Amino acid sequence: AHELRTPLAGALAQTQRLLRELPKGSAKTRALEVQAALKRVNHLMEKLLELSRADSGVGLAQEASDLLPIIEIVANEFARSPGNAGRLRLDLGDAGPLMAQVDIDAFAIALRNLIENALIHSPPETTVEVKLHAGGRLSVRNDCAVVPAATLRDMTKRFKRGATDAEGSGLGLAIAATFIERMGGELTLKSPPPDRLDGFEAVISLKPGRLLED
C-alpha cells in the first residue's frame, strides 16, 4: 500500500487533468469511470494502511489524554464535508474532560471508521448520531434495516460486508474493532439499538483502568 501511494496519486492527478480538457461525450464519461475506479483503489489502500497500523499494536499511550476534543474534531471533519451537510449530530451532554490512556491517533481512526460506516450504510436523508453516555461509553447510531444477528456477529471480520449495495471495503469495522481491542476496550454492535425497532449502533467501551473521568 505504501508503494502504491505515489503512482496512484499521479494517476488520479492525470485523470483529473484529462477530465478538465475533455469535452462532454463518451470519452469524458469513460474518464469519469476511470477516476471513480482510482478513488475506490485509493480508499482501499488507505484502509489497508490503517489496518497495518492497527496490527502493529498501536493503542495505548504512556499518559492519559482528554478524548473530547478528538471526538469533536473527527465529527466536525465529517460535518464540513458537502456530502454530509446536516447529517451528523454530536451529543456530548454535560461531559467534562474524558481522560483515557490511549493513543489519540488510534482512537481518532477507530471513531472515523465508525462514523464513515454509519454514513455510508444509511439513507442519505437520515441523521447519524454520535453520543457520549455515562461511564464514558461512546455510541455511533444510524438508520437502516435490522441487521440479522448472524451477520452482526461477523461484521468486524476483515472484508466482511452485510447485505448492502453501498460502496465500501469491508474493513472499516475490522479496523475500528482492532484499534479498540489494542486500547483495552470493546466494540459492541447492536441492531436494532435497545430503544428502537430498526437501525444500527456501534458502542465503544473502554475497560476500567483505561478510562478516567474527572
Side-chain angles (χ1 to χ4, degrees):
H2 279 292
E3 295 297 326
L4 283 171
R5 262 185 164 169
T6 300
L8 184 56
L12 268 170
Q14 291 297 324
T15 304
Q16 288 163 354
R17 180 177 177 180
L18 180 63
L19 281 167
R20 290 194 295 269
E21 296 173 353
L22 284 172
K24 289 183 179 180
S26 59
K28 188 159 191 172
T29 299
R30 289 195 297 273
L32 285 168
E33 292 171 352
V34 171
Q35 177 182 247
L38 288 171
K39 285 182 175 180
R40 287 194 295 271
V41 174
N42 186 69
H43 183 266
L44 176 58
M45 179 193 68
E46 293 299 333
K47 294 303 175 188
L48 290 171
L49 289 172
E50 290 178 1
L51 189 60
S52 176
R53 187 172 182 187
D55 284 341
S56 72
V58 175
L60 296 177
Q62 293 290 334
E63 299 179 358
S65 300
D66 185 5
L67 298 182
L68 286 185
I70 308 305
I71 296 170
E72 292 178 318
I73 288 170
V74 173
N76 287 334
E77 284 178 1
F78 284 100
R80 286 195 299 268
S81 172
N84 300 324
R87 291 199 61 198
L88 200 67
R89 182 169 70 247
L90 179 61
D91 181 3
L92 298 179
D94 299 323
L98 184 62
M99 307 300 294
Q101 192 180 339
V102 301
D103 183 276
I104 58 174
D105 288 334
F107 178 80
I109 292 171
L111 180 58
R112 190 176 290 113
N113 274 280
L114 294 181
I115 295 175
E116 182 182 61
N117 184 77
L119 288 166
I120 289 173
H121 297 290
S122 58
E125 71 278 2
T126 60
T127 301
V128 170
E129 180 189 63
V130 180
K131 184 174 183 179
L132 184 63
H133 302 265
R137 292 183 304 110
L138 183 67
S139 66
V140 179
R141 179 181 290 197
N142 64 276
D143 291 345
C144 66
V146 173
V147 179
T151 302
L152 201 64
R153 286 193 295 270
D154 291 338
M155 288 184 72
T156 56
K157 293 181 179 179
R158 298 173 185 194
F159 299 104
K160 185 70 176 182
R161 306 183 70 216
T164 177
D165 294 327
E167 289 189 5
S169 63
L171 286 173
L173 291 178
I175 291 166
T178 303
F179 271 121
I180 292 165
E181 181 183 353
R182 299 288 188 266
M183 296 174 203
E186 182 180 7
L187 175 64
T188 305
L189 306 181
K190 304 175 183 179
S191 184
D195 58 343
R196 291 185 51 173
L197 298 177
D198 58 7
F200 181 88
E201 183 178 52
V203 182
I204 301 174
S205 303
L206 298 179
K207 292 181 180 179
R210 298 299 181 197
L211 178 65
L212 302 170
E213 290 188 79
D214 290 350

